[in-house]
Amino acid sequence: MTMDVNAYRTAAKVWLNDHAPKFAGAARRGLAPAADLALGRAWQALKLEAGYGAITFPKIYGGADGSVIEKLVFAEEEVRYDVPRYFSVSLGMPIPMLLRYGSEADKDRLVSRALRGDDIWCQLFSEPAAGSDLAALRLLAVRDGEGWQLRGQKLWTSWAQHASWGIILARTDSTVPKHRGLTLFFVDMRSPGIDVRTVRSISGHSAINEVFFNDVHVPDAQRLGPVGDGFRLAIETLMIERYAVSDVSGFGPGLADFIAFAKRQGGGAALLDAAVRQAIADTYIADAGLGSIHERALEAIAQGQEPGPEGSIRKLLIGRKRQRLSALAMDIMGPAGVYYDPADQTTESFQASWLEAPGVRIAGGTDEILRNTIAERILGLPQDVRSDKDIPFNALPG
Amino acid sequence: MSLFSDEHILVRDQARRFLAEQWCAKKHRALLEAPGSGDAALWHAATALEWSAAAVPPAFGGAGPDWGTVAVLAEEIGRGTATGPFLVSWTAGLVIARFGTDAQKSRWLPRLADGSLKVAFAFAEADAPFDAPNTRLHNGRLTGHKLAVPFGGEADLALVTADTGRGAGIALVPLDAAKRTAAPSIDNSRGAVTLRFDDAPAEPLGTEALWSMLETAWVLTAFEQIGGARACLMAARDYALERRTFGQPIGRYQAIKHKLADVYTAIEIAHGNALVALTEIATTGRAPLAAAAARYAATQAYDLAARENIQVHGGIGCTWESDCHIHYRRARALALELGSIHWARERVVEALCSEKTQ
């Protein structure tokens, strides 16, 4: 790692130390959703002003024209604070795709607003019958004069309830096999015919939504890439954030928190239990191993190389790790482990962490799909049998 | 700091070719039926490639310490299930260079570097913890009994844990004065013997060397374990591509794919921990937490990879003729020789949960 990166990290640490506490932890506790969102927008605007809000984006839109390594280093430092993250989707995937495939006029009109946090963008990919099997999606885009009409339903859309815009994957041709009939658009979320309904997650919180499209008009100018090229572009979208930094604890209480907790229980008696000790050791090696993998990935990126494929085990581990430690902490509490306050943050409360842990193992690639990916892409084992592969979408059963 | 450079890729490729030529499963099976024996030819050929020089400083005729080379070679030895006191020789070189007196360095390091001296690490006793051995060093004489010492049959010198009168430490003991008895084991390719010392001439290497010796051995062995685990994973992968059931390769079933993805994950976690520990021990000579974590992770990974490799192979994997059991045995031998996984786990947890660490 070069001196420049170290200097950048030090400066980022100092800046975060000065500013982040006002937007994290106690500052967020008990805030109504609207107030938390306002706090999130203020945090994004402040970061942008300091050169940290859109590190890799072009200067003409308000970005910092920085390197991927700077983005990752800042994210590593920022992840230590539980600041609002309403813009993680916006700036992670939709806006980079708009920059790659949007018209100059649209970029001028929309990108700087998104970087400042004025607009939130969502990503409308998954549907009730299309999660892991994204190409099975059914939402239709039907020709409508110079544009298109969207008809159907999306699901699991993060931040759609706050979003001004979204990128959306739709079926434009049902007469060809499923992967080949999709097209990518962006859509104004304030258009007539859009109905956003929040889905309560297990914890009772609401960051995800189902979104209904009832003949929603989209101009053809808001198409991203060629008609029929949507699946390839969707995969490209998902690959952009491949090396995103995530908290190694999976945004739950970390190992240090667990150990501190276990030390307080029964005058330290909990720490004498073999199952507890095993969990501590298992979690430690997972964290240390992932830390080493991450460090090597950063070094590779800093030298302009592709990181090794081993980074793909990260998400497979963090969800299960968080689920195990959280449940174990509750077991140690015994009957008192049932107490839960919905206002608790998942980073602080084992109950809140445990309630949301299943989602970590599903969102953005289920444990099972991730294992398939490792087996196929890294180990070279064959793809599962796909009986629908070469059949036109409208000829598929069900 | 990276201990590895492009040069180490060449070292790895050369070692892999060399072991493929020198070492084979047939030879290995013969050793499995000859408790306490070794393979002098392999040691000799590897010495010609200067493997033995990698850990010893140039002042004593070596080319080290080159931690990257040592780790790469350890991994290749694991991959090829080669036999011989390579890792313990490097460990001894590193520890003697750090803790030995000038006289000890002059006496032992040149012979470690040129491969003319073979060493063994003897610590296990029937009823004594690592840092409180019953073996005693007194007035330059050592008395005690050590269990199942790998390569003890072919070694010239043992690094022996002993009560030195000023705490537990390491003693250097020429083995011509020891009574050696072949120890039939689950993996006879480890050349294990029991060692009985009765007033044998010995010299102290010092009490500080004790944990450094163990931690260094744990870290290098972690690379050996990772090499073995990777070999199992590749063998299972290759078989899964070739073997067909119900009209398709078994590698297309998720039961197999997910199993092997989990093995891959365990190996990469172990590798990450081994790299962390290697860097730390190369810098400071100690790595109380990281070395234990590396051992804990690598032991789990190799055990898992070895047993699931047999599972993927099915019935044929359970036969003497299959190579699967070579790793199955080796994984267990490496899991036990340097102390059980429970001990490594306790070292990890103690380091994390208490302020004091030895």
Side-chain angles (χ1 to χ4, degrees), chain A residues 99-120:
Chain A
L99 283 171
R100 290 181 196 190
Y101 295 97
S103 69
E104 290 307 315
D106 284 332
K107 288 194 269 189
D108 288 345
R109 163 168 83 101
L110 295 168
V111 175
S112 51
R113 289 184 55 81
L115 302 196
R116 263 199 317 272
D118 297 342
D119 290 343
I120 290 179

Side-chain angles (χ1 to χ4, degrees), chain B residues 99-112:
Chain B
F99 298 102
T101 63
D102 288 345
Q104 286 169 335
K105 290 185 209 174
S106 305
R107 183 177 177 195
W108 301 116
L109 291 179
R111 295 186 57 202
L112 279 171

Side-chain angles (χ1 to χ4, degrees), chain A residues 277 282 376 379 383-384, chain B residues 237 252 254 257 296 346:
Chain A
R277 298 176 85 79
D282 289 346
E376 293 168 12
L379 301 180
Q383 272 196 344
D384 294 0
Chain B
R237 191 276 309 263
R252 185 166 248 166
Q254 290 191 352
K257 288 162 81 167
Y296 183 73
E346 287 308 297

